[in-house]
Amino acid sequence: SAPVGVEQIRAIGEWEFLTVSDEEIVDTVRHGFFGDDELSRIYYGTLRFGIDMSKADEQSVSVKGDSLSVRLPAVGLLDDHFIDEARTRSFIEEGKWSEADKAALTRKAARQMRRRCLTPANLKAAKENAQRQTEAFFKAWGYKHVKVTIGN
C-alpha cells in the first residue's frame, strides 16, 4: 500500500470522536412598573468533540519503513453552532420579547452548555477515542508501529 501522507490526513476533514447531547432551561425576568415579564425556554444542543484534520501540516507525519509517527492538533469543539434552534421551545412567555431578547437567551444557553459539556473528563474521553481510532486507521494502511501524539 502507498504511504499515508499529509494530503490523505487533511482529506478526512473534521473527525468526530465524542458527541454529547445536552438540554438547558434558561429564563429571564424583566421587572416592570405593571408587573414582571418572564421568558423561560428549553434549548437542546449536540456538542461534537473532534479534530479538524485539515489543519495537519508537513511536520505532522513521519514514516520510516513500517513505522508511522503522527502529530495531530488538539481535540476540541468542532462547531460553535451546536444549539438546535428548531427544537427550542418557550414554556413561559409572559410579556413582549424581541428577537434580540431571545438571541441573548440563546447565547446564555450556549454558555451553560459549554460549561456543562466542555469538561476535562469529556475532553479526555474524546482524546482517548482519537488516539485509539487514529492508531487503528493507520494500522489498516499497513503500518505495524503507529505513534499518535495529540495536541502539544
Side-chain angles (χ1 to χ4, degrees):
S1 63
V4 172
V6 173
E7 289 312 310
Q8 284 90 338
I9 294 170
R10 282 190 187 140
I12 296 168
E14 290 185 344
W15 194 351
E16 189 176 313
F17 298 107
L18 181 71
T19 304
V20 179
S21 295
D22 187 27
E23 55 186 65
E24 295 288 336
I25 295 172
V26 186
D27 53 17
T28 187
V29 175
R30 188 170 47 210
H31 302 289
F33 185 74
F34 296 107
D36 297 343
D37 292 342
E38 186 179 353
L39 179 60
S40 286
R41 304 181 100 195
I42 187 161
Y43 294 87
Y44 299 91
T46 304
L47 291 82
R48 297 168 34 247
F49 294 81
I51 296 174
D52 184 353
M53 298 298 203
S54 68
K55 292 185 173 137
D57 59 25
E58 299 305 323
Q59 285 74 49
S60 298
V61 182
S62 73
V63 177
K64 286 192 182 90
D66 63 357
S67 298
L68 178 132
S69 177
V70 62
R71 175 181 297 280
L72 299 173
V75 169
L77 205 53
L78 290 175
D79 187 3
D80 286 326
H81 306 287
F82 47 77
I83 290 182
D84 183 348
E85 299 279 357
R87 290 181 62 204
T88 298
R89 298 283 173 262
S90 296
F91 53 90
I92 300 173
E93 192 167 344
E94 296 167 354
K96 290 237 182 285
W97 295 92
S98 69
E99 287 309 308
D101 294 328
K102 291 176 181 176
L105 212 55
T106 300
R107 286 192 300 275
K108 184 177 177 184
R111 282 193 303 274
Q112 284 181 208
M113 285 184 186
R114 280 176 183 276
R115 226 182 349 263
R116 187 181 313 274
C117 300
L118 267 174
T119 62
N122 282 343
L123 287 166
K124 182 175 185 273
K127 185 177 179 176
E128 287 168 359
N129 288 343
Q131 200 95 34
R132 216 174 14 258
Q133 290 180 38
T134 306
E135 213 168 280
F137 175 81
F138 289 115
K139 283 187 173 172
W141 278 77
Y143 294 99
K144 286 194 173 38
H145 308 284
V146 177
K147 179 177 182 263
V148 179
T149 309
I150 297 171
N152 303 352

Coordinates of all heavy atoms in Angstrom, one line a residue, residues 60-96:
S60 N 3.4 17.0 10.4 CA 2.5 16.1 11.1 C 2.8 14.6 11.0 O 2.5 13.8 11.9 CB 1.1 16.4 10.7 OG 0.7 17.7 10.9
V61 N 3.4 14.2 9.9 CA 3.6 12.8 9.6 C 5.1 12.5 9.3 O 5.7 13.2 8.5 CB 2.7 12.3 8.4 CG1 2.9 10.8 8.2 CG2 1.3 12.7 8.6
S62 N 5.6 11.4 10.0 CA 6.9 10.9 9.5 C 6.8 9.4 9.4 O 6.2 8.7 10.3 CB 8.0 11.4 10.5 OG 7.9 10.7 11.7
V63 N 7.4 8.9 8.4 CA 7.3 7.4 8.1 C 8.7 6.9 8.0 O 9.6 7.5 7.3 CB 6.6 7.2 6.7 CG1 6.6 5.7 6.4 CG2 5.2 7.7 6.8
K64 N 9.0 5.8 8.6 CA 10.2 5.0 8.5 C 9.9 3.5 8.4 O 9.5 2.9 9.3 CB 11.1 5.2 9.7 CG 11.8 6.6 9.8 CD 12.9 6.7 10.8 CE 13.5 8.0 10.9 NZ 12.8 8.9 11.9
G65 N 9.9 3.0 7.2 CA 9.6 1.6 6.9 C 8.2 1.3 7.3 O 7.2 1.9 6.8
D66 N 8.0 0.4 8.3 CA 6.6 0.0 8.7 C 6.2 0.8 9.9 O 5.2 0.4 10.6 CB 6.5 -1.5 8.9 CG 7.4 -2.0 10.1 OD1 8.2 -1.1 10.7 OD2 7.4 -3.2 10.4
S67 N 6.9 1.9 10.2 CA 6.5 2.7 11.4 C 6.1 4.1 10.9 O 6.6 4.7 10.0 CB 7.8 2.9 12.3 OG 8.2 1.7 12.8
L68 N 5.0 4.6 11.6 CA 4.5 5.9 11.3 C 4.3 6.6 12.6 O 3.8 6.1 13.6 CB 3.1 5.7 10.6 CG 2.4 7.0 10.2 CD1 2.0 7.0 8.8 CD2 1.3 7.3 11.2
S69 N 4.7 7.9 12.6 CA 4.5 8.8 13.7 C 3.7 9.9 13.2 O 3.9 10.5 12.2 CB 5.9 9.3 14.2 OG 5.7 10.2 15.2
V70 N 2.6 10.2 13.9 CA 1.7 11.3 13.5 C 1.4 12.2 14.7 O 1.1 11.8 15.8 CB 0.4 10.8 12.8 CG1 -0.4 9.9 13.8 CG2 -0.5 11.9 12.3
R71 N 1.5 13.5 14.4 CA 1.2 14.5 15.5 C -0.1 15.3 15.0 O -0.1 15.9 13.9 CB 2.3 15.5 15.7 CG 2.0 16.7 16.6 CD 3.2 17.6 16.8 NE 4.4 17.0 17.3 CZ 4.5 16.7 18.7 NH1 3.6 17.1 19.5 NH2 5.6 16.1 19.1
L72 N -1.1 15.3 15.8 CA -2.4 15.9 15.4 C -2.7 17.1 16.3 O -2.3 17.1 17.4 CB -3.5 14.8 15.5 CG -3.4 13.6 14.6 CD1 -4.4 12.6 14.9 CD2 -3.4 14.0 13.1
P73 N -3.5 18.0 15.8 CA -4.0 19.1 16.6 C -4.8 18.6 17.8 O -5.2 17.5 17.8 CB -4.9 19.9 15.6 CG -4.6 19.5 14.3 CD -4.1 18.0 14.4
A74 N -4.9 19.5 18.8 CA -5.7 19.1 20.0 C -7.1 18.9 19.7 O -7.7 19.4 18.7 CB -5.6 20.3 21.0
V75 N -7.8 18.0 20.5 CA -9.2 17.8 20.4 C -9.9 19.0 20.9 O -9.5 19.6 21.9 CB -9.6 16.5 21.3 CG1 -11.1 16.4 21.4 CG2 -9.0 15.3 20.7
G76 N -11.0 19.3 20.2 CA -11.8 20.5 20.7 C -13.2 20.4 20.1 O -13.6 19.4 19.5
L77 N -14.0 21.4 20.3 CA -15.3 21.5 19.8 C -15.3 21.8 18.3 O -14.6 22.7 17.9 CB -16.0 22.7 20.6 CG -17.5 22.7 20.7 CD1 -18.0 21.3 21.3 CD2 -18.0 23.8 21.6
L78 N -15.9 20.9 17.5 CA -15.9 21.1 16.1 C -16.7 22.2 15.6 O -16.5 22.7 14.5 CB -16.3 19.7 15.4 CG -15.3 18.6 15.5 CD1 -15.9 17.3 14.9 CD2 -13.9 18.9 14.9
D79 N -17.8 22.6 16.3 CA -18.7 23.5 15.8 C -19.3 24.4 16.9 O -19.7 23.8 17.9 CB -19.9 22.8 15.1 CG -20.8 23.7 14.3 OD1 -20.6 25.0 14.3 OD2 -21.8 23.2 13.8
D80 N -19.2 25.7 16.7 CA -19.8 26.6 17.8 C -21.3 26.7 17.7 O -21.9 27.2 18.6 CB -19.2 28.0 17.6 CG -17.8 28.0 18.1 OD1 -17.4 27.3 19.1 OD2 -17.0 28.8 17.6
H81 N -21.9 26.2 16.6 CA -23.4 26.3 16.4 C -24.0 25.0 16.8 O -24.4 24.2 15.9 CB -23.7 26.8 15.0 CG -23.0 28.0 14.6 ND1 -23.4 29.3 15.1 CD2 -22.0 28.3 13.8 CE1 -22.6 30.2 14.7 NE2 -21.7 29.6 13.9
F82 N -24.0 24.6 18.1 CA -24.5 23.3 18.5 C -25.9 23.3 19.0 O -26.4 22.2 19.3 CB -23.5 22.7 19.5 CG -23.1 23.7 20.6 CD1 -24.0 24.0 21.6 CD2 -21.9 24.4 20.6 CE1 -23.6 24.9 22.6 CE2 -21.5 25.3 21.5 CZ -22.4 25.5 22.6
I83 N -26.5 24.5 19.1 CA -27.9 24.5 19.6 C -28.8 24.2 18.4 O -28.7 24.8 17.4 CB -28.2 25.9 20.3 CG1 -27.5 26.0 21.6 CG2 -29.7 26.0 20.5 CD1 -27.7 27.2 22.4
D84 N -29.8 23.4 18.7 CA -30.8 23.0 17.6 C -32.0 24.0 17.8 O -32.9 23.8 18.6 CB -31.3 21.6 17.8 CG -32.3 21.1 16.8 OD1 -32.8 22.0 16.0 OD2 -32.5 19.9 16.7
E85 N -31.9 25.1 17.0 CA -32.9 26.2 17.1 C -34.3 25.7 16.9 O -35.2 26.1 17.5 CB -32.5 27.3 16.1 CG -31.2 28.0 16.3 CD -31.2 29.0 17.4 OE1 -32.3 29.3 18.0 OE2 -30.1 29.6 17.7
A86 N -34.4 24.7 15.9 CA -35.8 24.2 15.6 C -36.5 23.5 16.8 O -37.7 23.5 16.8 CB -35.7 23.3 14.4
R87 N -35.7 23.0 17.7 CA -36.2 22.3 18.8 C -36.4 23.2 20.1 O -37.0 22.7 21.0 CB -35.4 21.1 19.2 CG -35.4 20.0 18.2 CD -34.6 18.8 18.6 NE -35.0 18.2 19.9 CZ -34.2 17.5 20.7 NH1 -33.0 17.3 20.4 NH2 -34.7 16.9 21.8
T88 N -35.9 24.4 20.0 CA -36.1 25.3 21.1 C -37.5 25.6 21.4 O -38.3 25.9 20.4 CB -35.3 26.6 20.9 OG1 -33.9 26.3 20.7 CG2 -35.5 27.6 22.0
R89 N -38.0 25.5 22.6 CA -39.4 25.8 23.0 C -39.4 26.7 24.1 O -38.7 26.6 25.1 CB -40.0 24.5 23.4 CG -40.1 23.4 22.4 CD -41.2 23.7 21.3 NE -41.2 22.7 20.3 CZ -40.6 22.9 19.1 NH1 -40.0 24.1 18.8 NH2 -40.6 22.0 18.1
S90 N -40.4 27.6 24.1 CA -40.7 28.5 25.2 C -41.8 27.8 26.0 O -42.8 27.3 25.4 CB -41.3 29.9 24.7 OG -40.3 30.6 24.0
F91 N -41.6 27.7 27.3 CA -42.7 27.2 28.1 C -43.4 28.2 29.0 O -44.4 28.0 29.5 CB -42.4 25.9 28.8 CG -41.2 25.9 29.6 CD1 -41.3 26.2 31.0 CD2 -40.0 25.5 29.1 CE1 -40.1 26.2 31.8 CE2 -38.9 25.5 29.9 CZ -38.9 25.8 31.2
I92 N -42.7 29.3 29.2 CA -43.3 30.5 29.8 C -42.9 31.7 28.9 O -41.7 31.9 28.7 CB -42.8 30.8 31.2 CG1 -43.1 29.6 32.1 CG2 -43.5 32.0 31.8 CD1 -42.5 29.7 33.5
E93 N -43.9 32.4 28.4 CA -43.6 33.6 27.7 C -44.6 34.7 28.0 O -45.7 34.7 27.4 CB -43.6 33.3 26.2 CG -43.0 34.4 25.4 CD -42.6 34.1 23.9 OE1 -42.5 32.9 23.6 OE2 -42.4 35.0 23.1
E94 N -44.4 35.4 29.1 CA -45.3 36.4 29.5 C -44.7 37.8 29.2 O -43.5 38.0 29.5 CB -45.5 36.3 31.1 CG -46.2 35.0 31.5 CD -46.1 34.8 33.0 OE1 -45.5 35.5 33.7 OE2 -46.7 33.8 33.4
G95 N -45.5 38.6 28.5 CA -44.9 39.9 28.1 C -44.4 39.8 26.7 O -44.5 38.8 26.0
K96 N -43.9 41.0 26.2 CA -43.4 41.0 24.8 C -41.9 40.9 24.9 O -41.2 41.6 25.6 CB -43.7 42.4 24.2 CG -45.2 42.6 23.9 CD -45.4 42.9 22.5 CE -46.9 43.1 22.1 NZ -47.7 41.9 22.0

